[in-house]
Amino acid sequence: MIRYLYASDLDRNGALAAGMFRDRTAQFRDRMGWDVDVDALGWETDAYDRLDPLYVIAEDHRGRHAGSLRFLPTTGDTMLGDVFPHLTGGGPIRSPLIWECTRFCLSPTADAGVARRLLLAASEVGLAMGLRHSVAVFDAPMVRVYRRLGWQPDILGTDAGISAGLWTFSDAVHDGLCDRAGISPQQSRAWLEADLGHLPLAVGA
Amino acid sequence: MARKLDDLLERLGDATDLSALDSAVFDLRDRYDVEHLVYHSVKSSGDQWAALTYPQPWVDAYVENNFQTIDPVVLSCFRGFTPVDWKRLDWSSRPARALFGEGIANGLGNQGFSLPIRGPSGQFALFTVNHRSGDDTWGKFTRGYMHDLLLAAHFVNERALALDGEGHAPHQALSPRETDALTLLAAGKSRAQAAERLKISEHTLRVYIESARFKLGALNTTHAVANALSRGLICL
């Protein structure tokens, strides 16, 4: 199952939140060697977690954190705009139709299906919210992983092994991601609506 | 409708002080033929500012009674950024039901939709459309105009931030790539030609154009190019 939770919803989902922030430590500090802040509980958090972002969280069959990512609208403060504007044409990209996706994280025990479910869930957010694009910053070699998963970004810029990428939302991509994840479009939408309700925002691409 | 909205937003784009936002909110209310519109901004410093069409007695009663502490719209929308149809909120508590009844008695409509907005430096705002109608009519309205209203809401917020920011708004400056993209379009290049020239994909070009459109407060690409030309941000 996929959950769609704001930071302000995490109190009511304590175990899931703890799993996510600890798995982020395991991925970003331990496996990738990034210089990130980890607190006394072993949770990796940054300034953007304090902006009440929307987390997309894939649960395993026992309801534990299997993988997650984080969305913020580019009209507000974003990591790309604050830290990597040189990767996006020399300044921040800002639009209500474009959200930034960060902290794509897989639990150490996640199987291959989790990444596919997360990409599908990201696409679900875009279509449900009437967005056109998502932008994200990632380790440059990850582009091959995204290609294999069936949703390749356009590269906006690369510097020192870090890339900014652009994903475009569309019904065609979404259907493909549903097939790869083995989840029906109806099921995918139902999970989103269970947390966020029905949104009359979907627009044609 | 789109053309009229264009004119209205252009007028707001030319405005030089915050009082223009008051009239823009009334204008928008009239254009969409709805009961009320509310724009409410809160900065990270705690400074608040609002432009709204609600009757003054209702605003006074709301402030005096601290209704924001029980208002399901406020409780729901000042966290997260999912647009919210009022129907979806929990009005079951006695204070919430009383608040709804008081609102109706003071001239508010029974339907509402609120769009949370995230701005730079921790600023946030709420843009609310309030209307008196049945569920079917309201459903048609939200499906038909939500995208339009989303753009208008963000435009109002960007103008409010610019007018409130002593003239400089770094978050609204065009990036070099955005300037390049608009310059090529202004010179008559197609999107394909412009993308080719900049050695980027057409999707990427679209993003730079969309970001420039938003920063310039334009409704569409043509308007964005004209706006950038007239402000001297690009030249031919």
Side-chain angles (χ1 to χ4, degrees):
Chain A
M1 169 160 186
I2 310 274
R3 300 298 308 276
Y4 299 83
L5 301 170
Y6 285 99
S8 44
D9 300 321
L10 292 181
D11 288 354
R12 279 172 280 130
N13 297 272
L16 194 58
M20 173 171 73
F21 291 119
R22 289 201 182 112
D23 284 346
R24 275 172 44 172
T25 300
Q27 169 155 338
F28 297 111
R29 186 189 67 183
D30 301 343
R31 291 210 298 276
M32 299 170 83
W34 289 8
D35 180 21
V36 291
D37 289 331
V38 175
D39 69 13
L41 292 173
W43 294 18
E44 186 276 306
T45 58
D46 67 9
Y48 303 97
D49 291 306
R50 293 188 277 282
L51 297 177
D52 202 11
L54 176 63
Y55 299 101
V56 173
I57 304 177
E59 295 179 330
D60 68 14
H61 61 284
R62 291 165 62 183
R64 295 172 306 191
H65 176 260
S68 52
L69 49 85
R70 177 178 73 177
F71 275 113
L72 279 169
T74 59
T75 53
D77 301 318
T78 60
M79 188 187 287
L80 263 173
D82 295 340
V83 187
F84 303 101
H86 56 289
L87 296 181
T88 58
I93 285 170
R94 300 184 65 231
S95 161
L97 305 179
I98 304 170
W99 285 9
E100 176 183 76
C101 179
T102 48
R103 289 296 191 262
F104 186 102
C105 165
L106 297 174
S107 108
T109 56
D111 61 56
V114 174
R116 287 196 288 271
R117 292 212 296 281
L118 281 175
L119 276 200
L120 169 60
S123 170
E124 191 67 58
V125 167
L127 295 185
M129 297 283 181
L131 308 180
R132 288 213 193 118
H133 304 281
S134 172
V135 288
V137 57
F138 50 85
D139 272 4
M142 278 292 287
V143 71
R144 288 198 299 274
V145 176
Y146 293 125
R147 189 184 308 143
R148 264 207 310 281
L149 292 170
W151 198 12
Q152 192 179 341
D154 288 287
I155 302 298
L156 295 170
T158 301
D159 182 49
I162 302 281
S163 290
L166 167 75
W167 282 261
T168 302
F169 297 108
S170 78
D171 289 332
V173 163
H174 192 75
D175 290 345
L177 294 172
C178 282
D179 284 347
R180 282 166 183 266
I183 293 167
S184 72
Q186 294 78 10
Q187 176 63 74
S188 176
R189 180 55 58 98
W191 282 333
L192 178 132
E193 293 190 346
D195 278 321
L196 299 180
H198 175 70
L199 303 165
L201 268 169
V203 288
Chain B
M1 178 80 74
R3 168 137 205 106
K4 287 201 234 160
L5 181 66
D6 221 351
D7 293 344
L8 189 159
L9 295 187
E10 209 168 318
R11 204 156 66 231
L12 180 55
D14 293 336
T16 51
D17 66 274
L18 275 172
S19 65
L21 284 167
D22 279 315
S23 42
V25 163
F26 277 89
D27 284 350
L28 277 171
R29 189 267 306 264
D30 296 344
R31 300 289 185 213
Y32 286 105
D33 199 19
V34 290
E35 214 68 39
H36 291 292
L37 274 189
V38 180
Y39 166 74
H40 182 189
S41 163
V42 182
K43 288 188 164 184
S44 54
S45 60
D47 287 352
Q48 300 198 24
W49 192 81
L52 67 177
T53 66
Y54 284 167
Q56 196 57 44
W58 172 240
V59 177
D60 294 341
Y62 193 101
V63 172
E64 188 179 325
N65 292 294
N66 281 318
F67 281 150
Q68 74 278 5
T69 59
I70 55 152
D71 187 341
V73 176
V74 171
L75 297 179
S76 159
C77 287
F78 279 148
R79 32 168 297 259
F81 35 86
T82 307
V84 169
D85 192 316
W86 290 9
K87 271 203 295 285
R88 276 198 49 237
L89 298 171
D90 181 6
W91 297 91
S92 61
S93 78
R94 188 188 295 257
R97 286 203 312 274
L99 171 72
F100 194 81
E102 283 288 302
I104 301 283
N106 276 277
L108 269 62
N110 56 321
Q111 305 279 4
F113 208 95
S114 295
L115 298 160
I117 295 171
R118 291 295 181 90
S121 307
Q123 181 261 355
F124 59 95
L126 193 57
F127 188 91
T128 288
V129 182
N130 172 261
H131 197 41
R132 191 188 313 264
S133 77
D135 285 352
D136 283 354
T137 311
W138 180 243
K140 276 194 200 110
F141 177 83
T142 51
R143 279 193 301 279
Y145 294 119
M146 194 48 58
H147 187 68
D148 237 32
L149 283 165
L150 184 77
L151 296 182
H154 279 275
F155 183 71
V156 168
N157 191 56
E158 284 294 299
R159 288 308 294 158
L161 289 171
L163 292 171
D164 197 26
E166 292 118 37
H168 50 262
H171 57 277
Q172 290 171 326
L174 295 185
S175 74
R177 255 318 189 227
E178 289 161 3
T179 308
D180 291 344
L182 289 190
T183 303
L184 290 171
L185 293 186
K189 302 279 187 239
S190 69
R191 282 169 191 258
Q193 290 167 328
E196 164 83 32
R197 177 81 170 64
L198 294 170
K199 309 216 179 317
I200 57 180
S201 72
E202 279 195 59
H203 282 315
T204 303
L205 181 82
R206 273 178 62 138
V207 159
Y208 289 131
I209 294 170
E210 164 56 20
S211 180
R213 179 204 66 73
F214 173 68
K215 290 176 182 176
L216 291 166
L219 267 190
N220 54 47
T221 307
T222 311
H223 189 195
V225 170
N227 195 325
L229 277 170
S230 70
R231 288 200 227 167
L233 299 172
I234 58 173
C235 40
L236 289 177

